[in-house]
Amino acid sequence: MASVVIVEDEQRIRELMARALADRGFDVESASTAMDGLQAVVHGSPDLVILDMGLPDLDGRELLKMIRAVSEVPVIVATARGEDRDMVSALNAGADDYVVKPFSVDQLEARVNAVLRRAKTNGGTHPLVVGALEVDPGARRARLAGMPLDLSPKEFDLLRYLAERQGEVVSRRELLAEVWRQPYGGSEKTVDVHLSWLRRKLGESASEPRYVETVFGVGVRLVEPTE
Ligand code: CA
């Protein structure tokens, strides 16, 4: 039985979600403030967190960062309609998916199941090694020649996605869909910007690539440097 922590300050929505997920066999714990939510995540080690962005004591994004600092748990954020900026910044801060209010119980359940399925298939926590580069998905840390890399959550997700497919060419569209969770829309420029930041941290550039190789017109791949 999968366990879910719901952090939502509106009682009606919180109870509706809790009841719906409990009816579908989930073990549900709910919290009405960010601080109670953080406690529940730290002590309960849930399989999934549903996080409202508008909480009374702390911005949902801040709570997400605090959760990410201590846990890899999949997080679905709930935002109000029209607050796209919230949603984008939550995804950039490490959320796995989102729902826009008002959402139906079926919609929520579909997202929950999809995220849990993804978490299971991505569950490998063995460090991935590409040349002198080591990516540890469990600890969300990467090192180059033994030196820790200071990566943002998105840069880490991007590097991890490429490292899991080393040698394979991955398109920008695929990266938008899988790393940014934007299967429709989204800008490939976003991918390019993050790739260039990642390259800088790996001590390389597009004109002098080492690990991140561009395959013109197709995408990028992570390779072991040749020298
Ligand atoms: Ca709220």
Side-chain angles (χ1 to χ4, degrees), residues 8-10 52-55 101:
E8 165 65 74
D9 60 318
E10 275 171 77
D52 175 33
M53 287 281 94
L55 292 167
K101 292 178 182 176

Side-chain angles (χ1 to χ4, degrees), residues 4-9 29-46 48-52 55-73 75:
V4 179
V5 166
I6 298 170
V7 191
E8 165 65 74
D9 60 318
E29 194 176 335
S30 42
S32 58
T33 64
M35 284 303 122
D36 286 350
L38 185 62
Q39 288 272 327
V41 172
V42 170
H43 297 299
S45 322
L48 180 84
V49 176
I50 300 170
L51 175 60
D52 175 33
L55 292 167
D57 52 335
L58 192 67
D59 185 66
R61 238 172 332 180
E62 293 304 315
L63 176 57
L64 177 59
K65 284 185 201 156
M66 292 164 84
I67 292 173
R68 274 289 161 265
V70 296
S71 168
E72 263 269 71
V73 62
V75 176

